[in-house]
Amino acid sequence: MPRNKQKKKDYQRKVATRLPKKTFLIVCEGTKTEPNYFRSFPVLSAKVEIVGTGRNTLSLVRYAEGILQQRQDQFDEVWLVFDKDSFSADSFNQAINYCQTHYQEGFRVAYSNEAFELWYVLHYQLITRPISRYRYSSILTKKMGFRYKKNIPHLYRLLKERQPMALKNAKILYQNRSHSPAKDNPSTTVFQLVEELNRHIID
């Protein structure tokens, strides 16, 4: 095995567990941006497995179901992380509704309307008016002082000190949500997954 691959494997093993109190499966729409962010959490008292799929809304639900058919007893919670993007309101809402109606089976949802980068923006400011996801990059570039690009590997560390502000702003948006998440631009429930992971950072 090449040396660099061996190093990567060893690193992933260290992140995983130490007598885990809880087990999480995080299934992401994105293959890098979201997995990179959640893998950066220094979780100590839980086992976290993160999968980036390239799938969205209902196809992401089907993908998670497929994993659980093989490994149902291995996870306490299964979080689906996906964006509204340009997908239909029906498919977006149906995927969220699936997670909510299967709550007792461990399904949870961390959705963003319109995109995951909204969570990053909320570390700097509260946005209450509808905004296109194509504007997130320019906002983040201005706020962070360097050009924002997807897949920046150290965003968790860069934004950690501002996380309380993001949690506060995301909750304000959530409190004002409607009956249809697809209509709630901007909105995100990523804060719920972040708070859950935060509970396991310290034993």
Side-chain angles (χ1 to χ4, degrees), residues 12-200:
Q12 291 174 335
R13 186 178 299 136
K14 290 176 182 177
V15 170
T17 62
R18 188 178 67 178
L19 297 177
K21 296 176 180 176
K22 202 167 184 178
T23 55
F24 297 91
L25 172 63
I26 301 176
V27 186
C28 302
E29 171 184 331
T31 58
K32 293 184 179 179
T33 301
E34 298 94 330
N36 284 345
Y37 179 75
F38 291 117
R39 284 185 182 123
S40 298
F41 279 71
V43 173
L44 295 177
S45 62
K47 181 179 180 180
V48 182
E49 182 173 330
I50 301 170
V51 182
T53 68
R55 292 173 171 79
N56 58 76
T57 60
L58 292 174
S59 65
L60 194 69
V61 170
R62 302 285 92 82
Y63 184 86
E65 287 179 324
I67 294 177
L68 292 185
Q69 286 178 359
Q70 304 296 323
R71 306 168 60 192
Q72 187 170 10
D73 297 332
Q74 295 185 19
F75 305 104
D76 295 307
E77 293 184 3
V78 180
W79 285 82
L80 273 59
V81 182
F82 56 89
D83 299 336
K84 170 63 176 66
D85 288 338
S86 297
F87 300 108
S88 72
D90 284 346
S91 64
F92 185 67
N93 286 343
Q94 286 176 22
I96 294 169
N97 184 60
Y98 179 93
C99 294
Q100 293 172 338
T101 56
H102 290 76
Y103 185 89
Q104 295 300 325
E105 298 168 32
F107 276 90
R108 307 287 188 271
V109 60
Y111 67 79
S112 296
N113 187 352
E114 287 188 342
F116 186 77
E117 280 79 4
L118 171 64
W119 170 246
Y120 297 154
V121 172
L122 293 175
H123 286 69
Y124 294 94
Q125 67 182 88
L126 173 62
I127 296 174
T128 57
R129 294 184 177 182
I131 182 172
S132 168
R133 62 188 180 280
Y134 299 111
R135 291 188 56 195
Y136 295 153
S137 292
S138 62
I139 294 173
L140 289 170
T141 294
K142 183 177 180 180
K143 297 293 185 182
M144 294 193 297
F146 60 88
R147 185 180 177 188
Y148 170 78
K149 294 181 179 179
K150 283 183 172 291
N151 311 327
I152 294 175
H154 307 301
L155 271 178
Y156 171 82
R157 178 173 54 80
L158 291 172
L159 298 175
K160 181 64 176 65
E161 288 187 358
R162 293 179 173 274
Q163 192 185 98
M165 179 183 292
L167 291 169
K168 177 182 178 181
N169 289 338
K171 289 177 182 179
I172 291 173
L173 295 178
Y174 188 70
Q175 288 169 356
N176 293 294
R177 68 190 185 281
S178 72
H179 67 283
S180 172
K183 294 181 179 179
D184 297 336
N185 176 11
S187 66
T188 179
T189 58
V190 169
F191 74 92
Q192 296 176 343
L193 175 53
V194 168
E195 287 189 322
E196 186 61 42
L197 293 178
N198 284 345
R199 294 187 181 97
H200 300 279

